[in-house]
Amino acid sequence: MRVGVLTGGGDCPGLNAVIRAVVRKGIKDYGYEFIGFRDGWRGPLEGDTVPLNVESVRGILPRGGTILGSSRTNLMKIEGGVERVKDNMAALGVDALVAIGGEDTLGVARQLHDRGVNVVGVPKTIDNDLNATDYTFGFDTAVNIAMEAIDRLHTTAESHHRALVVEVMGRHAGWIALHSGMAAGANVILIPERPFDIDDVVKHVESRFQTQYAPIIVVAEGAHPKEGQMELATGETDSFGHVRLGGIGQRLAEEIEKRTGKEARSVVLGHVQRGGTPTAFDRVLATRLGVNAIDAVHDKSFGKMVGLQGTAIVRVDLAEATDTLKTVPAERYQEAEVFFG
């Protein structure tokens, strides 16, 4: 059997660990041959490949990013895209695909499976918002990077008696903001699932200053105020219809400074959260997911995603994984609210 592997969407630590596990297990236990498709769904769309073997995946376990490259190509928006992928797979002798990605990449995988393509999905996203899996690899690394940054910002905020707003990633789900903010002792955490009241935010900031400490506000990029409170800019949309986000941190800092008279600055962590070497947790999770993904291919368990539930790796329908996003429930946010102010 010849198996294709691709990585789509935003990069994150742990992608190479999955590729390594898929290839090593597939060659050693099943005698499969592998090719990598470059740059997400663009690879099978254009037949752009690179050979994958034990030598090519040696030493990549600790590397961030992806040796295959990535993109946000949405072949479902390209006329004849599905047929081109099928034709290229047939011409290359590819019998099955392992698609590693988040909601968009696996959403395309699901639609391809519905059209007769043999696909197994692996959940990747630093946002941790894929359904049917407790954690996605990349999330733990992103949280630790954000936590360390917030730890450092506490000291400079107190030295200069200023409020600092830290903007982290999280378009629809606030998992990174919640976990990094709680771990680093933020005074306010703002997430997309819960529109915030700017008056409440200002009260927390002023309360913090009254105790002679400088406030730290962690805000997810997709967080937004209650209707009519603040104007936010909007950006371009990508091929999956997502608006380019960024700017809530700066806008929030401006509003806090105007209302409190205290200096406020914003820090956007941005793609720093995606980069660098994965944590031990993400390396192990990514490896386990890769091993189980190629097992699913061997079992012809297509149309499935391998995910973590409890401590076990399970197989779930791609439809279950991509129908809805896994967002922060109210009770989890309330746990953090106890420490606000």
Side-chain angles (χ1 to χ4, degrees), residues 236-255:
E236 301 174 349
T237 59
D238 64 17
S239 62
F240 289 94
H242 299 311
V243 175
R244 184 176 181 180
L245 297 177
I248 181 60
Q250 177 63 33
R251 184 69 187 87
L252 197 57
E254 293 170 353
E255 194 71 17

Side-chain angles (χ1 to χ4, degrees), residues 41-60:
W41 289 114
R42 186 191 67 79
L45 186 69
E46 300 180 5
D48 189 358
T49 68
V50 58
L52 288 176
N53 51 43
V54 173
E55 288 72 26
S56 64
V57 299
R58 185 168 289 142
I60 68 172

Side-chain angles (χ1 to χ4, degrees), residues 31 79 172 266 280:
E79 186 175 354
H172 302 296
S266 67

